[in-house]
Amino acid sequence: MSSQQKQSARRSAGAPAAPEPSGPRPARLTAAAALTAVEGIALAALGAYMLIDGLTGSPDSPQQAEMGGLTVLALAVLPLVAARGLWLRRRWSRGPSLITQIVALPVAWTLVHGGGALIAAGVVLAVAALVVLVLLVNPTATEALGIGPRENP
């Protein structure tokens, strides 16, 4: 019987899928949660700015500004939910946070090539994304989230 079949049998028998993590939250996990939350807050602020500018300002295309603002606000939900999950040590939260960081890297690259103040924003975003990636693949963080090594068949 494979480990996946064993897990399915355990779930169907009513056993919990993973034990609740115990002990204090590691500093690495706390830092990853905080940085992911900061990214989500920054996205939400950008989305709100775009939406307000579209409604009250005079952008070239108010409809594009409003839709762009709503889109960025919707995108801000993923890192904010992931950050809360990391803070609460939920196993599922690692994936959305990793995805957020991987998506942030090409955005940072684009910002760096944008020139001016965008260079600094791109560098900050790239550093934050790389730091969170390193923190989340660290064994201390994975163990704190209840993610252990796979069983050998």
Side-chain angles (χ1 to χ4, degrees):
M1 180 180 270
S2 73
S3 63
Q4 189 173 7
Q5 290 170 333
K6 289 178 187 175
Q7 287 177 349
S8 294
R10 258 189 271 135
R11 284 190 194 123
S12 63
E20 280 293 314
S22 60
R25 182 183 318 103
R28 290 179 175 139
L29 191 58
T30 302
L35 282 172
T36 303
V38 167
E39 290 170 342
I41 291 167
L43 272 174
L46 176 63
Y49 170 78
M50 290 172 66
L51 186 61
I52 291 169
D53 187 49
L55 293 171
T56 62
S58 57
D60 293 337
S61 172
Q63 293 83 7
Q64 281 185 335
E66 292 163 9
M67 186 53 69
L70 288 173
T71 302
V72 173
L73 280 171
L75 290 173
V77 171
L78 182 64
L80 291 172
V81 169
R84 184 173 188 276
L86 290 172
W87 185 262
L88 297 174
R89 297 170 66 175
R90 301 292 190 250
R91 182 180 183 146
W92 58 263
S93 63
R94 184 173 176 245
S97 185
L98 287 172
I99 291 168
T100 299
Q101 306 320 313
I102 291 168
V103 169
L105 291 173
V107 172
W109 180 262
T110 303
L111 289 173
V112 166
H113 285 83
L118 295 178
I119 293 173
V123 169
V124 169
L125 179 59
V127 168
L130 289 172
V131 167
V132 173
L133 283 170
V134 168
L135 291 171
L136 288 177
V137 298
N138 186 285
T140 306
T142 56
E143 288 172 13
L145 292 170
I147 302 169
R150 293 186 181 260
E151 296 176 12
N152 292 330

